[in-house]
């Protein structure tokens, strides 16, 4: 695995790979890698022939009172994981290379970053979209991979790539979970044993909401109440937000009449965890929808 440390060297490698006609896939991360990150690498192997992973703990996306200085790091472990996963290039820029003296430009995606983490972490997405733009301009990928675990981030990057004509395919990868349902996250490393148990309440809250929708619930308030009840029953959990939004626009919705993102941010002790699920209302075919007897029947025939 080749390690590259500067934007100039990264760009030179990318130019050569492109001349050779190779399809570059990029997996951006902040390190402390787990199976979730490696599922992005696996997707990159399927859809590209040169896989670049980056590790950069981006100061610009952390708020003043957030965990930049304590963010977990394990370079030796990360190298071993990426080497084993067949990554060709590990890009490791440092903060001085990314934000040299005089840096004063940012990339802002507006509407889809308004709600959820955009509200509770002001400036966060501006940091994300700025650093991802810089990675796109140096790694020059044909395709880039992002986890659905950070669903709003994925939506913002899709929007940015389309709006700014990056010409890069953005691929979303499903959330990898531990056996007990907890979404894998570098921040799980902060949890004590009892907090790790309490962290299960997030995926249980999502499951409760999904069950409610399967049983026919469509009002956002009612579905959210089911999720909140699970979280409120967990003494170590404190809800930052629990919201239902349109899965594409990330705008609040009152009725689940289209794919809806149920997104949670919850403090377990001092650790803020996020998780989400997309709720898709299964509707009866139009010819039967008015009968009101819930009769399940085949699709309307032509
Ligand atoms: P991070 O290192 O936390 O910035 O994450 C780097 C990338 O990995 C992002 O695109 C995340 O959405 C993705 N990711 C993080 N956790 C998971 C997970 N449990 N399953 C799938 N992708 C993930």
């Amino acid at each position: 695995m080749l390690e590259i440390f500067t934007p100039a060297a990264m760009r030179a490698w990318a130019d050569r790979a492109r001349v050779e006609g190779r399809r570059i896939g990029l997996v951006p991360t902040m390190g402390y890698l787990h199976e979730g990150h490696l599922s992005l690498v696996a997707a990159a192997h399927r859809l590209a022939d040169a896989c670049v992973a980056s590790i950069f703990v981006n100061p610009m996306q952390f708020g003043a009172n957030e965990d930049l200085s304590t963010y977990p790091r394990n370079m030796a472990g990360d190298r071993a994981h990426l080497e084993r996963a067949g990554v060709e290039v590990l890009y490791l820029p440092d903060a001085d290379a990314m934000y040299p003296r005089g840096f004063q430009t940012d990339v802002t995606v507006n509407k889809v970053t308004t709600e959820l983490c955009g509200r509770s972490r002001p400036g966060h997405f501006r940091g994300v979209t700025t650093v991802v733009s810089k990675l796109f301009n140096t790694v020059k990928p044909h395709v880039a991979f992002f986890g659905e675990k950070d669903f709003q981030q994925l939506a913002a990057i899709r929007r940015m790539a389309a709006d700014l004509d990056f010409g890069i395919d953005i691929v979303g990868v499903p959330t990898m979970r531990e056996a007990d349902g907890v979404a894998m996250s570098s921040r799980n490393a902060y949890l004590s044993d009892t907090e790790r148990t309490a962290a299960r309440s997030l995926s249980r809250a999502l499951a409760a909401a999904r069950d409610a929708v399967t049983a026919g619930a469509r009002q956002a308030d009612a579905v959210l109440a089911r999720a909140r009840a699970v979280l409120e029953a967990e003494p170590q959990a404190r809800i930052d937000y629990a919201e239902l939004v349109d899965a594409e626009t990330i705008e609040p919705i009152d009725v689940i009449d289209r794919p809806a993102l149920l997104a949670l941010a919850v403090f377990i002790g001092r650790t803020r965890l996020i998780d989400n699920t997309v709720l898709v209302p299964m509707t009866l075919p139009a010819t039967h929808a008015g009968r009101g007897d819930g009769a399940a029947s085949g699709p309307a025939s032509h």
Side-chain angles (χ1 to χ4, degrees):
M1 185 169 67
L2 182 64
E3 294 191 8
I4 296 181
F5 298 93
T6 65
M10 188 66 244
R11 202 175 302 112
W13 180 91
D15 286 340
R16 278 196 307 278
R18 280 185 167 253
V19 166
E20 290 164 5
R22 306 178 71 210
R23 186 169 161 82
I24 303 172
L26 170 64
V27 176
T29 82
M30 298 203 300
Y32 209 77
L33 303 179
H34 50 65
E35 292 295 323
H37 297 110
L38 298 179
S39 71
L40 306 191
V41 172
H45 283 313
R46 286 193 294 274
L47 295 175
D49 42 43
C51 176
V52 178
S54 62
I55 298 179
F56 179 60
V57 182
N58 176 31
M60 193 174 175
Q61 71 189 64
F62 286 78
N65 300 316
E66 295 182 354
D67 56 344
L68 174 62
S69 61
T70 56
Y71 196 81
R73 288 160 210 255
N74 177 6
M75 263 321 294
D78 289 352
R79 278 197 179 91
H81 277 310
L82 295 174
E83 192 107 49
R84 227 180 358 250
V87 165
E88 183 167 333
V89 175
L90 171 54
Y91 180 39
L92 291 166
D94 66 21
D96 291 339
M98 289 300 252
Y99 302 113
R101 184 194 289 272
F103 185 93
Q104 54 188 277
T105 303
D106 61 59
V107 177
T108 301
V109 175
N110 292 304
K111 287 189 192 156
V112 305
T113 65
T114 308
E115 304 292 330
L116 312 179
C117 290
R119 201 183 298 285
S120 46
R121 302 184 69 188
H124 169 67
F125 287 116
R126 186 175 59 89
V128 170
T129 44
T130 301
V131 82
V132 170
S133 299
K134 290 170 67 67
L135 292 171
F136 283 177
N137 284 331
T138 42
V139 179
K140 307 190 185 191
H142 297 81
V143 54
F145 300 84
F146 296 87
E148 291 176 355
K149 158 88 174 8
D150 299 275
F151 199 96
Q152 190 177 18
Q153 166 175 283
L154 173 60
I157 288 165
R158 279 193 202 288
R159 196 66 258 167
M160 175 187 85
D163 290 354
L164 298 185
D165 303 307
F166 272 105
I168 297 170
D169 293 337
I170 306 300
V171 175
V173 177
T175 302
M176 290 277 287
R177 296 178 180 281
E178 306 285 358
D180 64 355
V182 172
M184 292 181 183
S185 165
S186 307
R187 290 191 167 97
N188 291 348
Y190 296 139
L191 302 172
S192 68
D193 287 352
T194 58
E195 288 172 343
R196 177 62 186 71
T197 303
R200 293 179 192 162
S201 57
L202 280 82
S203 52
R204 281 197 284 109
L206 297 177
R210 248 188 332 263
D211 289 348
V213 172
T214 303
R218 292 292 179 271
Q219 294 299 317
D221 284 352
V223 173
L224 280 172
R226 295 288 292 273
R228 284 176 182 279
V230 173
L231 295 168
E232 283 161 5
E234 170 50 63
Q236 300 201 65
R238 180 169 61 82
I239 299 173
D240 178 13
Y241 65 71
E243 286 182 47
L244 261 168
V245 296
D246 181 302
E248 197 183 325
T249 64
I250 319 290
E251 286 169 3
I253 58 172
D254 295 328
V255 179
I256 304 174
D257 53 4
R258 62 209 119 131
L261 176 73
L262 172 56
L264 307 178
V266 178
F267 282 95
I268 302 290
R270 296 171 59 174
T271 303
R272 183 176 175 281
L273 300 177
I274 58 172
D275 202 348
N276 68 76
T277 190
V278 175
L279 302 169
V280 181
M282 304 294 284
T283 47
L284 287 170
T287 46
H288 299 286
R291 282 168 47 176
D293 59 0
S297 49
S301 54
H302 302 275

